[in-house]
Amino acid sequence: MTTAPMPEFPAGFRWGVSTSAYQIEGAVGADGRGPSIWDTFAHSPGRIADGSTGDVACDHYHRYREDVGLLAGLGVSAYRFSIAWPRVQPTGAGAATPAGLDFYERLVDELLGHGVDPVATLFHWDLPQALEDAGGWLNRDTAARFAEYADLVAARLGDRVKLWITLNEPFIHMSLGHGMGVHAPGRMLLFDAFPVAHHQLLGHGLAVSALRARSGSPVAIANNYSPVRVAGDTDADRAAGAAYDALHNRLFTDPLLGLGYPDGPGFDEGVVRAGDLDVIAAPLDVLGVNYYNPTGIRAAEPDSPLPFEIVPLEGYPRTAFDWPVAPDGLRDLLVDLRDRYGAALPPMQVTESGCAYDDVPDADGRVDDPDRIAYLDGHLHAVRAAIDEGVDVTGYFVWSLLDNWEWAEGFTKRFGLVHVDYATQRRTPKSSYAWLRDRVIKP
Ligand code: BGC
Ligand code: BGC
């Protein structure tokens, strides 16, 4: 597929791809790894669309050299992966398991050997099960445990990881994992899940100090954002839009950038303690922005437990996930973040952007994915448009390098630039991989 010429990006712009541990590693029993909440959840009947688990996933734990070869072939300057907390501390507390850290050390050294910057996320949702048994992120102590784990990782890798990302999408972990129960740990607390927001943020702030004490590398967090499209023109619709925006887009970012929590459904007494907001507002070097789609919102029915109703957005092409393809939303989001936070906002990197399509190898074994090329092309033009409006965006990471285990959707959603045949673990770069390499990264 041919696309219009890609505009130039600023010198030093970081091109990368992202993955996460439980979605690709497999080897869940190797080298002393403990169980995480996702092992438990995936093995519970009825939780995962195709009944699969991440037990094997892409077997990346054993095939990381081949996967780093794919990264090198793509020409990216950075690779965002996540470290599985239960490989480092099988029960989420105590001394590190050296063999667990050895894996990430081998990975990091392999990346550096190929000129690829390691970008490490410390928490991409795979909490050690033992911590969940003690209350998980509903328990304030988990924040302290997270900082201890960050210290152990940074003590080993602090000299080589080029960018730290503390948490991945604390909003999704709170809402889907603890509010709605569709992700691990499967709690359905609705707004009683709010302590999970505060304790993750507190853990983030404590981890920032731990990382800075051990490593000179910049520190970020990766938030999920979704610009709100109000469907309807009543005051109630607009109020619902603002309520959703506060929950999805501001609940985490306002306190991170020193503004405290937005108004809205609040915290019970004793959750937010004196000094916490200062810990949470520790300066960030980069704000990671994960973007997939905007959200349509209108006023809720009177008997709804929620102060808004989510409605499908019409008029957009859709991915295999049925998500609207809306590059304009990424441009709007980046501009809005700049306008909303001004000087408090650090430079941004798009730490996830991508799409699922039903990619199938043809008779010759080739995987042609023109929809993904169109998706990436549109979203890169959107980033460039934001930069043209003066927004400081310094990197873009595609989700994902490989087709992988897509949480509650199991293996049914393929997000990769590289196709994976799960029966054989054969990797086949899709046409989007060649497009990204030849038209964007090394034109
Ligand atoms: C599709 C599934 C298909 C699978 C196997 C996925 O991307 O969503 O429908 O069975 O690929 O290739
Ligand atoms: C997550 C990824 C996930 C992707 C696609 C993001 O919310 O960080 O782990 O695979 O979205 O759903």
Side-chain angles (χ1 to χ4, degrees), residues 23 124-125 168-169 224 292 323 352 399 406-407 415:
Q23 295 179 272
H124 203 123
W125 307 343
N168 179 69
E169 301 186 348
N224 181 290
Y292 289 91
W323 293 349
E352 283 182 32
W399 184 273
E406 175 55 32
W407 308 115
F415 276 90

Side-chain angles (χ1 to χ4, degrees), residues 259-277:
L259 303 178
Y261 285 108
D263 293 338
F267 293 100
D268 288 344
E269 211 179 318
V271 173
V272 182
R273 300 192 192 161
D276 286 1
L277 288 172

Side-chain angles (χ1 to χ4, degrees), residues 23-329:
Q23 295 179 272
I24 64 166
E25 286 179 357
V28 292
D31 298 328
R33 177 189 179 278
S36 82
I37 57 173
W38 271 99
D39 296 280
T40 308
F41 191 77
H43 280 271
S44 310
R47 294 299 203 171
I48 310 300
D50 57 2
S52 63
T53 71
D55 286 3
V56 177
C58 304
D59 196 31
H60 169 79
Y61 193 78
H62 299 115
R63 294 168 196 263
Y64 73 91
R65 281 203 180 82
E66 179 183 356
D67 294 338
V68 173
L70 288 165
L71 289 164
L74 183 57
V76 287
S77 53
Y79 172 52
R80 175 178 173 233
F81 60 98
S82 84
I83 293 177
W85 187 347
R87 287 197 194 281
V88 178
Q89 290 177 299
T91 61
T97 301
L101 280 171
D102 289 349
F103 169 68
Y104 296 105
E105 186 162 67
R106 290 195 295 277
L107 173 63
V108 161
D109 289 344
E110 188 76 10
L111 290 166
L112 292 170
H114 284 85
V116 178
D117 286 352
V119 174
T121 304
L122 291 175
F123 181 68
H124 203 123
W125 307 343
D126 44 0
L127 192 78
Q129 181 62 44
L131 292 184
E132 184 63 29
D133 297 341
W137 288 110
L138 291 163
N139 179 352
R140 185 179 172 95
D141 187 53
T142 298
R145 298 282 74 75
F146 181 64
E148 204 174 87
Y149 152 66
D151 173 71
L152 293 172
V153 174
R156 179 75 86 90
L157 300 175
D159 57 337
R160 281 161 288 171
V161 165
K162 301 297 181 199
L163 174 65
W164 296 103
I165 296 179
T166 55
L167 306 175
N168 179 69
E169 301 186 348
F171 171 72
I172 300 294
H173 191 53
M174 176 192 77
S175 57
L176 296 191
H178 299 77
M180 315 296 287
V182 300
H183 277 187
R187 297 186 194 256
M188 293 180 67
L189 299 170
L190 292 179
F191 290 120
D192 291 336
F194 274 128
V196 172
H198 185 65
H199 296 149
Q200 285 186 94
L201 283 170
L202 187 62
H204 156 84
L206 295 170
V208 170
S209 320
L211 293 169
R212 295 216 192 278
R214 295 275 192 188
S215 171
S217 295
V219 180
I221 187 169
N223 280 325
N224 181 290
Y225 295 98
S226 184
V228 172
R229 304 289 190 233
V230 175
D233 54 10
T234 67
D235 286 344
D237 292 322
R238 281 183 287 275
Y244 188 81
D245 188 43
L247 183 66
H248 195 137
N249 298 315
R250 294 177 52 205
L251 179 63
F252 293 87
T253 310
D254 282 13
L256 284 166
L257 299 182
L259 303 178
Y261 285 108
D263 293 338
F267 293 100
D268 288 344
E269 211 179 318
V271 173
V272 182
R273 300 192 192 161
D276 286 1
L277 288 172
D278 292 332
V279 172
I280 291 168
L284 286 170
D285 301 298
V286 171
L287 179 67
V289 172
N290 293 2
Y291 169 76
Y292 289 91
N293 50 256
T295 302
I297 296 290
R298 71 174 174 218
E301 300 298 329
D303 57 350
S304 168
L306 300 175
F308 48 77
E309 185 184 333
I310 297 177
V311 292
L313 285 171
E314 307 301 337
Y316 292 97
R318 310 191 89 81
T319 72
F321 227 128
D322 207 28
W323 293 349
V325 177
D328 55 314

